[in-house]
Amino acid sequence: TLRQEKQRITHLYKTGNLILLLLGVLAGLLITGLYLTVQRRKKLEAARTGFIAAVSHELRTPLSLIRLHAETLHHGRIPESRVSEYHQTILNESERLTAILNNVLDFSRMERGKMKLNLAPVNLTEATHRIIDSFTYRLESDGFKLTEDIEPAVFALADPLAYSQIVFNLLDNAIKYSDDEKHLRIELRKGEGAAILKVIDCGIGIPDKLKPVIFDDFIRAPNAEVTARRGSGIGLSVARKLAEKMGGKITVENNTPKGSVFLLQLKADDETARS
């Protein structure tokens, strides 16, 4: 009948409109998804470009110092009393260069899922003292006061190279982001089932909004206090990933009255309990 035909046409019209609406929504979602993907890709490319520039800058500094001091020594332009100082600078900058390259290599291996650690009982007390010794000249040259509270015979299940890289990154950051109050403190102690390392500085600190992401890749605060200092944005990311691969964790909290406290926890080895 005519009435039934009208109802059928009305039903088809409504169904068609509903289909068009759904298609419109799907098209909108697709366009939004494509836009967000493009934006994320642009941000990633910008981050990678900035990373390459930052790493290049970080490499240039120690390389320039090594070359300058080596040339000066080669041409005999300094008094004998300062030769040891120049040798020490070359050694320190070589160690810093190695650490920067290790960060890049470790980051690359982790990105490709190729990072492998060899966990074994490690005497963190001895390892930490060795790392501090490698920083002594740099700390003294930059006017830092370092205090230590390191318990004897603190053992953990760890990879010694990975542990050294973490501590190097934390100390390097503490030096880099300290201004007038050049005071660092390192603590190492035995906890309940864990070995606990703290690196404490009195520097510029970390904004609250960045604390949840400070260990992510390529994260650096956008303010001038941070951007004026060299940095690749992967040091803390590498430290966190290395800690997690050793079954541990790394966190950050505020120091009082200013600065930051980085806390590394690793699984204690049985030797810790026996010592």
Side-chain angles (χ1 to χ4, degrees):
T1 63
L2 182 60
R3 183 178 179 182
Q4 289 175 329
E5 185 64 21
K6 285 182 178 180
Q7 287 177 342
R8 188 179 70 82
I9 293 173
T10 301
H11 177 71
L12 289 174
Y13 177 76
K14 290 180 178 179
T15 302
N17 284 343
L18 181 59
I19 292 172
L20 288 175
L21 177 61
L22 290 173
L23 289 174
V25 170
L26 289 173
L29 290 173
L30 179 60
I31 292 171
T32 301
L34 288 173
Y35 173 78
L36 292 175
T37 299
V38 170
Q39 292 301 110
R40 280 196 295 269
R41 184 167 295 176
K42 285 182 178 179
K43 287 182 179 180
L44 182 60
E45 287 303 316
R48 291 187 183 278
T49 301
F51 165 69
I52 293 170
V55 169
S56 299
H57 177 71
E58 282 213 76
L59 292 174
R60 190 180 299 118
T61 301
L63 282 172
S64 297
L65 283 171
I66 290 170
R67 179 172 181 175
L68 174 63
H69 283 65
E71 287 180 347
T72 303
L73 287 169
H74 177 71
H75 294 293
R77 295 172 182 165
I78 58 170
E80 189 66 27
S81 60
R82 297 194 63 194
V83 169
S84 177
E85 175 188 333
Y86 273 59
H87 283 156
Q88 188 64 53
T89 299
I90 292 172
L91 178 61
N92 290 342
E93 293 304 316
S94 297
E95 289 174 347
R96 177 146 56 122
L97 185 61
T98 300
I100 294 169
L101 291 173
N102 283 341
N103 271 341
V104 176
L105 291 173
D106 287 345
F107 182 77
S108 175
R109 291 188 191 106
M110 291 171 185
E111 287 285 283
R112 293 182 286 114
K114 301 292 186 180
M115 188 69 185
K116 293 183 179 180
L117 301 182
N118 297 312
L119 301 184
V122 176
N123 187 329
L124 300 189
T125 298
E126 293 180 356
T128 304
H129 279 305
R130 283 196 298 270
I131 299 163
I132 292 173
D133 288 344
S134 72
F135 273 88
T136 298
Y137 183 78
R138 181 179 171 189
L139 290 168
E140 291 176 351
S141 299
D142 291 348
F144 276 87
K145 178 183 178 182
L146 175 68
T147 58
E148 303 173 31
D149 183 8
I150 299 176
E151 292 184 2
V154 178
F155 284 80
L157 196 62
D159 179 290
L161 294 179
Y163 177 76
S164 296
Q165 190 69 14
I166 292 172
V167 180
F168 184 97
N169 286 347
L170 295 181
L171 280 174
D172 185 61
N173 263 17
I175 294 171
K176 189 187 307 179
Y177 295 109
S178 292
D179 289 330
D180 297 331
E181 293 190 47
K182 297 185 175 183
H183 182 198
L184 303 182
R185 180 175 175 82
I186 297 177
E187 299 177 3
L188 179 66
R189 60 184 175 83
K190 306 166 189 174
E192 292 187 9
I196 302 171
L197 173 83
K198 286 185 179 181
V199 177
I200 305 165
D201 67 67
C202 299
I204 62 175
I206 300 170
D208 289 338
K209 65 180 180 181
L210 277 184
K211 285 189 177 70
V213 297
I214 195 64
F215 296 103
D216 291 351
D217 301 338
F218 309 122
I219 296 296
R220 299 190 80 208
N223 56 60
E225 279 188 309
V226 173
T227 55
R229 307 165 206 244
R230 59 180 176 78
S232 61
I234 65 168
L236 290 179
S237 169
V238 168
R240 179 192 57 124
K241 291 173 182 176
L242 289 175
E244 290 177 349
K245 279 188 169 290
M246 291 188 288
K249 65 177 181 178
I250 184 169
T251 55
V252 63
E253 56 191 44
N254 290 332
N255 192 16
T256 302
K258 60 182 295 189
S260 301
V261 179
F262 283 88
L263 190 151
L264 170 68
Q265 297 182 68
L266 295 175
K267 183 179 178 181
D269 180 67
D270 290 341
E271 181 67 26
T272 308
R274 297 198 299 268
S275 61

